[in-house]
Amino acid sequence: MANPSLAHALAHALTAAAHGFRVIPLTRAKLPAVRSPHHHDPAPLPCRGECGRLGHGVHDASADPRAIRALFAAAPWATGYGIACGYAPYHLIGIDLDLKDGRPGYPGEPGKPGRPGRPQVARAGGATGDRDGRPWRPDANRKGGMENGKDGTEDGKSGLEHGKDGTNGLAALARLAREHAFAIPRTVTVLTPSGGRHLWLSGPPGLAVPNSAGRLAPGIDVRGMGGYLVGPGSYGSHGSYRLAPGSPAWDPAPVPAALLRLLTPPRPAPPRSYRPGPPSHDPHPAALEGLVRFVRASREGQRNDRLFWAACRAYETGAGPELAPALIDAALDTGLPPHEARATVASAARSAARHLQPPEAWA
């Protein structure tokens, strides 16, 4: 039986490519549609396409129409397409805002009855609509975006209620915008079948934003280099992906500088040369007290990472044993379970010890 969604997805993928985006075909499950040529190998080696065959996921992504047609010809079961992040000219960054209580109800696939419904649509960046699908028209003083995190509601909270489990990526992003004083720009916004949305942002060249899930806040996933976004016009198992009413099409706005800093966590300090010496006699100088505050300010989704980073810095200064109890207490204040906090600090101690070994221990 012919796949009625294939031609539809291919047409949208070619349109995206004409605007400079690299694309790959996707299955209903939003996975790369071309099967790996190495899936029968007894011990497959890492390959990103060096073998010259198709089937390497996002590494197959292309903006060349001939290459795209070949990819879709190799996956006639494809129902959608993915847009690779991180590549020129846009260096695309995807902000995936989840809403656990979202309600699908978007038009069905070609050849199948539609389910128009009335999905809840939050007013993020002027690029979305109201519950009837009409474009949202921001007030003049908001300049088409969520200035300083305000989103058009009287109390500054998200226009969507929280999901039943408390996960609301829209509200979480608005809260980050308020806390870090940046405006969420009017940008390409794709509505997902579950009621969430994908915001497309343009990043700077030469900076690879890492992929993450829930690191910024619960309900916010990030797609950077090596990741991809489901493109508008795609069909998944639960419905269609489409541009939000009033959204720009194919022109992602630049990522705000303050948000970019949140998306790129600080680089770990380079390994230090071995310099034996006595441990610090003052385990709580200002810099080390700052490590404790850094851990105590952690949000859910970043507590382990921040505790590990802070503990590594403490052990590298020689104050790890003295500062570890304070770091663990700070982590417990954020809600991290005691066994996780102790295990994270112990792992940091081992990591710092490896970096500080004398040269003769490397042999």
Side-chain angles (χ1 to χ4, degrees):
M1 180 178 177
N3 174 9
S5 302
L6 180 65
H8 183 85
L10 174 58
H12 279 273
L14 290 172
T15 300
H19 288 85
F21 295 96
R22 301 188 187 191
V23 300
I24 56 171
L26 298 180
T27 67
R28 288 177 177 273
K30 303 179 293 184
L31 298 175
V34 181
R35 177 175 290 183
S36 169
H38 308 293
H39 69 283
H40 285 314
D41 294 356
L45 298 175
C47 180
R48 297 185 173 184
E50 295 85 356
C51 66
R53 294 177 286 176
L54 300 178
H56 298 86
V58 73
H59 304 293
D60 288 341
S62 175
D64 176 59
R66 292 182 60 184
I68 294 168
R69 292 181 186 277
L71 284 166
F72 275 81
W77 46 83
T79 63
Y81 66 102
I83 296 181
C85 296
Y87 293 102
Y90 301 102
H91 308 283
L92 184 64
I93 302 167
I95 307 298
D96 182 352
L97 304 177
D98 189 22
L99 182 69
K100 290 298 186 185
D101 201 26
R103 295 179 301 174
Y106 301 137
E109 301 181 18
K112 294 186 178 181
R115 298 181 59 190
R118 292 177 60 173
Q120 294 178 335
V121 181
R123 301 161 179 172
T128 61
D130 63 16
R131 287 184 174 87
D132 294 314
R134 294 187 296 271
W136 176 54
R137 301 185 183 281
D139 296 336
N141 64 345
R142 280 191 282 271
K143 302 178 183 178
M146 291 170 61
E147 296 294 339
N148 296 324
K150 295 179 181 178
D151 57 357
T153 57
E154 293 181 0
D155 58 1
K157 295 181 180 179
S158 168
L160 277 176
E161 296 298 323
H162 287 271
K164 293 178 180 178
D165 65 351
T167 299
N168 186 336
L170 293 168
L173 182 61
R175 183 172 61 252
L176 287 175
R178 290 193 298 272
E179 292 174 354
H180 297 274
F182 64 85
I184 302 174
R186 182 175 184 271
T187 191
V188 181
T189 303
V190 176
L191 304 181
T192 73
S194 64
R197 65 214 52 227
H198 298 161
L199 305 185
W200 296 15
L201 297 171
S202 178
L207 179 64
V209 171
N211 296 285
S212 63
R215 187 184 66 82
L216 284 185
I220 301 180
D221 296 344
V222 177
R223 301 289 177 262
M225 180 60 74
Y228 60 85
L229 292 168
V230 181
S234 296
Y235 297 105
S237 300
H238 301 291
S240 65
Y241 292 74
R242 61 170 186 166
L243 282 175
S247 167
W250 314 117
D251 187 18
V255 59
L259 176 57
L260 183 62
R261 286 192 292 270
L262 296 176
L263 297 175
T264 50
R267 296 179 180 178
R272 298 173 46 161
S273 58
Y274 178 70
R275 295 181 180 178
S280 169
H281 294 292
D282 180 5
H284 297 287
L288 297 182
E289 289 287 0
L291 293 178
V292 176
R293 291 194 299 270
F294 177 77
V295 172
R296 187 168 282 116
S298 304
R299 298 186 185 85
E300 187 176 358
Q302 52 181 219
R303 297 175 300 194
N304 270 311
D305 290 342
R306 290 169 74 105
L307 175 59
F308 181 81
W309 185 88
C312 282
R313 304 293 83 77
Y315 277 99
E316 287 169 359
T317 66
E322 294 86 357
L323 196 65
L327 292 174
I328 291 173
D329 287 344
L332 297 182
D333 289 343
T334 68
L336 196 66
H339 68 281
E340 286 190 32
R342 289 192 291 269
T344 298
V345 170
S347 178
R350 292 191 296 269
S351 177
R354 286 194 298 271
H355 288 160
L356 295 177
Q357 283 180 337
E360 58 269 20
W362 302 346

